[in-house]
Amino acid sequence: MTTTATTAATAATAATTRTAPRVGPVPALWLALMATPMAAGANAPVLILPDMARSLGVSASTAGWLVASYAWAMAVATPLLAGLLRRRGLRPALRLAGALLVGGTLLVAASPWLPLTLAGRATQAAGGAGLAAVAMSLAGSARRMGVISAGFGILGASGPLLGAQLSQAVSWRLSLSISVIAILAVPMVSRYATAPAAPAGPAARPQDRFDARGAALLTALATALVLLPHAPAAALGSSALAATLLALHVRRRPDGFVPAALIRKPLFLGSALLALALSGSYFTLLFSVPRLLTDRAGWDAAGAGTGQLVALLTGSALSWLLAAASARMSRTAVRAVLVGVGASAAAIAVFASWGPLLLVATLGGIFAATGCNAVLSMHAASSAPDAQRPTAIGLFALCYQLGGAFGPAIATALVLTA
């Protein structure tokens, strides 16, 4: 009898151990696996747009909206999914983001028409952005965030080549499905992390209710800003109107979707705006340097592509060293390094004509951008109370991704059409 009871108790304990959340921080490699495949998915179409256009029966410029829709959805979904994380906790955010990622991937894989494929790409990006927002919120330190940021840089740099290889071997649709790998990390992250308590439904205070108007206005502003390079006149007017309405709304509801106390903090504003500038500079270099290597240094396309890939991988890896060392540095020193390297990279690209020096510009650009994503995101999060940290991460990531939307347009205006 005692033996039977002991056996039953042991079995119950083992079952509880298998199902209960694990205690402690989520391992950084699981967070990186969950967050970084979206970078490869975003860049996978770069070299295969003509193939995609032929398959869908559209022009290459029209097929380019598959890239733009992904960037738009990442920018818009990041603060929205971060808001869900803040209000409902970890598991609902993971479930929704994972469902969006899988659903969007299935749509991309099966859709024979461009509109449905665009919808699938946007849904994919929304899911990937949500998983990335969760991973960034759970990182907890600049060193762990550095692993995620370095992964963004490495997979983003490898994305075009990986996409081209998968397209040649199987199909361009498989190339656009790379980001679904992130779903493998969701069960493990869900096991390790404990969800924060959510507001208690009917008993919640009025200011804890979902701020639908604030979310809609922020979405409208982000959409207008993403479209600014593509339709400047209309987007400029729309963004000014959306920004004005959002500012008035924040004054009426300071504890809403965009917390007034957060956006007034100099630490948050400085971190977010610097991320916007360094991200925009990096993406400008990313699209400009291959052309500069050809025009100024006489390199062929293959040599320029290989050299830039090496520079991007090296810069991404080096950014982790800055993230690891940042705990022993002052905020002023970290920002001085980021601004100095970023400005030097831009200056080299403007004046250099020697090929290796232009690659140094690329290396410096990605080092500054991924370094700021790792370190300044933690600065931005530290400026907010615990309950608002997912919101701070989401708004910071929105600024970083807007730099990714502006950079290619700047490169086109300054270099690619020259």
Side-chain angles (χ1 to χ4, degrees):
M1 186 79 168
T2 303
T3 303
T4 303
T6 302
T7 303
T10 302
T13 302
T16 302
T17 302
R18 285 194 299 270
T19 58
R22 299 188 181 187
V23 179
V26 185
L29 291 179
W30 283 115
L31 296 179
L33 176 61
M34 190 170 74
T36 58
M38 68 178 292
N43 293 346
V46 169
L47 299 178
I48 59 174
L49 275 176
D51 296 335
M52 294 161 54
R54 282 192 296 271
S55 175
L56 293 168
V58 298
S59 66
S61 60
T62 301
W65 282 101
L66 289 167
V67 178
S69 66
Y70 200 94
W72 168 79
M74 281 197 302
V76 167
T78 299
L80 293 178
L81 270 294
L84 177 65
L85 175 64
R86 170 192 169 190
R87 292 183 52 79
R88 299 300 182 189
L90 175 73
R91 299 184 194 285
L94 282 176
R95 282 195 291 266
L96 178 58
L100 289 171
L101 178 58
V102 173
T105 300
L106 292 175
L107 194 56
V108 167
S111 169
W113 303 295
L114 179 64
L116 278 180
T117 309
L118 285 171
R121 283 292 281 170
T123 305
Q124 267 186 324
L131 294 181
V134 171
M136 293 170 69
S137 297
L138 295 175
S141 71
R143 184 186 184 94
R144 286 160 52 82
M145 186 62 201
V147 176
I148 298 174
S149 295
F152 274 129
I154 291 170
L155 287 184
S158 306
L161 181 59
L162 181 59
Q165 293 296 321
L166 290 176
S167 178
Q168 184 177 9
V170 184
S171 168
W172 61 266
R173 295 182 185 275
L174 181 61
S175 301
L176 301 191
S177 302
I178 299 172
S179 57
V180 80
I181 296 172
I183 203 70
L184 298 175
V186 171
M188 187 59 66
V189 172
S190 183
R191 286 180 64 193
Y192 267 95
T194 42
R205 296 173 300 164
Q207 61 265 36
D208 286 332
R209 295 172 189 153
F210 180 65
D211 180 14
R213 181 175 298 178
L217 289 173
L218 181 64
T219 299
L221 176 59
T223 301
L225 291 174
V226 168
L227 293 176
L228 191 59
H230 305 281
L236 187 61
S238 300
S239 59
L241 176 61
T244 301
L245 293 175
L246 181 60
L248 293 173
H249 177 75
V250 169
R251 291 186 64 182
R252 286 195 299 268
R253 187 165 177 181
D255 294 323
F257 192 81
V258 181
L262 176 63
I263 61 176
R264 289 172 184 161
K265 288 184 179 293
L267 178 58
F268 174 81
L269 277 180
S271 299
L273 292 178
L274 184 54
L276 172 62
L278 292 175
S279 173
S281 175
Y282 159 59
F283 281 101
T284 302
L285 291 171
L286 180 66
F287 283 83
S288 299
V289 167
R291 174 70 175 270
L292 296 178
L293 286 168
T294 301
D295 292 348
R296 296 181 186 175
W299 289 26
D300 59 21
T306 302
Q308 187 174 43
L309 177 61
V310 172
L312 291 171
L313 295 176
T314 304
S316 299
L318 290 176
S319 69
W320 182 81
L321 298 179
L322 174 65
S326 63
R328 301 186 296 274
M329 301 168 63
S330 67
R331 288 174 179 165
T332 302
V334 170
R335 293 180 183 222
V337 170
L338 293 172
V339 172
V341 174
S344 298
I348 290 171
V350 170
F351 297 108
S353 58
W354 185 43
L357 202 52
L358 287 169
L359 293 179
V360 169
T362 299
L363 189 154
I366 194 171
F367 172 87
T370 54
C372 88
N373 195 30
V375 181
L376 298 189
S377 62
M378 294 297 99
H379 292 180
S382 69
S383 67
D386 289 344
Q388 291 182 351
R389 288 196 174 189
T391 300
I393 290 288
L395 294 176
F396 174 90
L398 171 61
C399 290
Y400 184 89
Q401 288 162 5
L402 286 175
F406 296 153
I410 297 172
T412 298
L414 297 180
V415 177
L416 300 182
T417 59

